[in-house]
Amino acid sequence: MNTSAVESDYTTNDFVVVANRLPVDLTIDADGNHEWTPSPGGLVTALSPVLEHHRGCWVGWPGTIGEAPEPFRTETGVLLHPVTLSEADFEGFYEGFSNATLWPLYHDLIVHPRYHREWWEAYREVNQKFAVEVSTVAAEGATVWIQDYQLQLLPGILQQIRPDLTIGFFLHIPFPAPDLYRQLPWREELLRGVLGADLIGFHLESNARNFLDVAEQLSGSEVSGTVSVRDVTAFITTSDGRRVGVGAFPISIDPSPFLNTDVDVAAIRAELDNPDLLILGVDRLDYTKGILQRLRALEELHELEAIDTNTVFLQIATPSRERIDHYQETRREVEEAVGRINGRFGKLGKPIVSYHHVAVPKSRLVELYSAADVMLVTPYKDGMNLVAKEYVACHGDGSGAIVLSEFAGAAEELSQAYLCNPFDIESVKRQILHAIRALESDPETARSRMLKLHEQVIQHDVDVWAGAFLQCLYSAGDGDNGVVDE
Ligand code: ADQ
């Protein structure tokens, strides 16, 4: 990536995005040369087009421990402002409180959240550190859009030190029901942090309603109105008299890279030894994504001889959070299942599960999505799930079928998918078979379902998401930063 260092004149930064990660990875070679490479992930996928359009500033951690590099501008004009994290910050704030406390708590306790005071202290300190950086880069009266669960204290801190800013907060993961949220030992302080924003967005109305319930129960705030999609008609009046808007803004993708119709599907399938049927999974290797469950469902279908032995299941699993125990355990279980299934049902030199623990370039994902007959997206819980939308975007010709967990946020919009309950293995098996049978015996129905899904994704792309959120945020800013008139 071509980048250039910039003068530290921040007076023009009137639009600032803040996220845990910068949309790049820094690698340093043996000679000490720095190289920036684009990094994968749902958030990056979603926000890059918006920032490029605004020539905005992005504040985030560059992905390496220790002293951060100088701010620089990408070739598409986005100013990247790195935040330094130490090893202790990384362990306590990122691996600890963000990913071993909040992540499992907000994903409905698929594994047990761990509550450690020292992680909470690290989380507070790092949020404070981000606040100092944002305060440095943001112009007077700027609009600041804060992303995700790692930075829930940031709106509150910024609101205190920079009351001139208009602050938006968007949560990319689910927000749990009050009974779960109340487990958190620091629940009031975390909630006060989020309530520092002028606008708070969630993917789903149900997430937003959970948040309103929590705010009412735990912060002495008053709630008015009801939640809308892509609009703000629900409000929280905080105990200090500020008015905060709350809405549902289902995130989506930039479909353009996925609309490529030139993919040589036959060549991709030939690479996989020409299976009669190609089934695909693409996920970060995370226990929320239900990878093991879909492997077990396929194993049982092979046991029952319900699917052809010339079917290949290709699973691309991106390495993720690899030092955290539950992630190591999930990887062990998945890889054991892959070995077992291939041992039981594969033929010599012909595995039926092709498993790859790797991140692949987007162009490769487009090829794989396009070549796959059936896509399996089976999370136990997922804020949205962009993989589901990317697959659908690649099938504008009506080919293919998608089996989708009803616990993925995407299921609300993608109601024409073959919806399954990942906690019920029979349901997963049934819907895989429905999808296969529709493709084989009722192609017109399968085609019509896929075309409806495709239209939904194309019409509600990432620009619709960001546009709706920003319009509501700018309106909130016009209202004197949310202070209620007496
Ligand atoms: P994630 O949990 O990371 O995102 P998801 O929404 O599916 O999940 O986004 C993953 C992104 O990474 C997709 O764009 C996908 O193409 C890419 N990706 C996945 N595996 C890959 C691989 N092996 N190689 C290359 N790229 C890969 C979080 C929430 C989601 C929410 C998003 C956005 O958990 O619920 O949809 O943020 O809000």
Side-chain angles (χ1 to χ4, degrees), residues 32-228:
N33 298 318
H34 288 202
E35 198 197 354
W36 297 92
T37 48
S39 62
L43 183 56
V44 174
T45 312
L47 283 181
S48 298
V50 186
L51 267 160
E52 286 164 18
H53 181 69
H54 284 270
R55 277 181 71 85
C57 173
W58 183 311
V59 178
W61 176 57
T64 52
I65 302 294
E67 207 45 47
E70 291 300 305
F72 63 97
R73 217 175 263 287
T74 67
E75 57 193 9
T76 53
V78 180
L79 175 63
L80 302 181
H81 184 91
V83 176
T84 307
L85 290 191
S86 67
E87 179 68 34
D89 291 336
F90 182 75
E91 283 175 18
F93 154 77
Y94 180 74
E95 295 188 319
F97 198 77
S98 296
N99 288 321
T101 304
L102 292 175
W103 180 269
L105 178 65
Y106 283 26
H107 285 87
D108 290 359
L109 317 185
I110 297 164
V111 304
H112 281 297
R114 293 168 59 196
Y115 302 116
H116 289 302
R117 281 164 286 200
E118 58 277 23
W119 289 355
W120 166 243
E121 284 309 318
Y123 186 85
R124 290 171 81 183
E125 281 167 23
V126 171
N127 273 252
Q128 188 71 43
K129 204 179 262 194
F130 270 79
V132 170
E133 299 300 332
V134 176
S135 183
T136 308
V137 302
E140 176 74 19
T143 298
V144 177
W145 190 1
I146 299 164
Q147 310 291 327
D148 228 357
Y149 62 103
Q150 302 93 347
L151 299 174
Q152 289 177 86
L153 293 174
L154 185 54
I157 305 169
L158 277 180
Q159 200 267 326
Q160 291 288 318
I161 62 175
R162 287 288 304 271
D164 59 296
L165 301 175
T166 300
I167 302 170
F169 177 81
F170 188 82
L171 186 72
H172 288 261
I173 66 174
F175 190 82
D179 272 1
L180 297 185
Y181 182 82
R182 278 169 41 218
Q183 285 194 4
L184 191 69
W186 311 278
R187 57 199 188 185
E188 283 93 358
E189 190 176 340
L190 196 75
L191 179 62
R192 271 200 304 279
V194 181
L195 287 173
D198 300 289
L199 171 62
I200 304 169
F202 300 88
H203 290 305
L204 305 181
E205 288 169 277
S206 56
N207 302 151
R209 280 196 298 269
N210 282 345
F211 184 79
L212 293 175
D213 289 347
V214 163
E216 201 164 35
Q217 289 176 21
L218 295 180
S219 72
S221 301
E222 274 177 36
V223 168
S224 57
T226 49
V227 178
S228 299

Side-chain angles (χ1 to χ4, degrees), residues 9 16 32-33 45 50 64 88 97 145 189 203 236 243-245 273 372 377 394 427 454 458 468:
D9 171 13
V16 181
N33 298 318
T45 312
V50 186
T64 52
F97 198 77
W145 190 1
E189 190 176 340
H203 290 305
I236 296 172
R243 194 165 88 137
V244 178
D273 215 6
V377 179
C394 286
S427 158
H454 185 77
I458 299 303

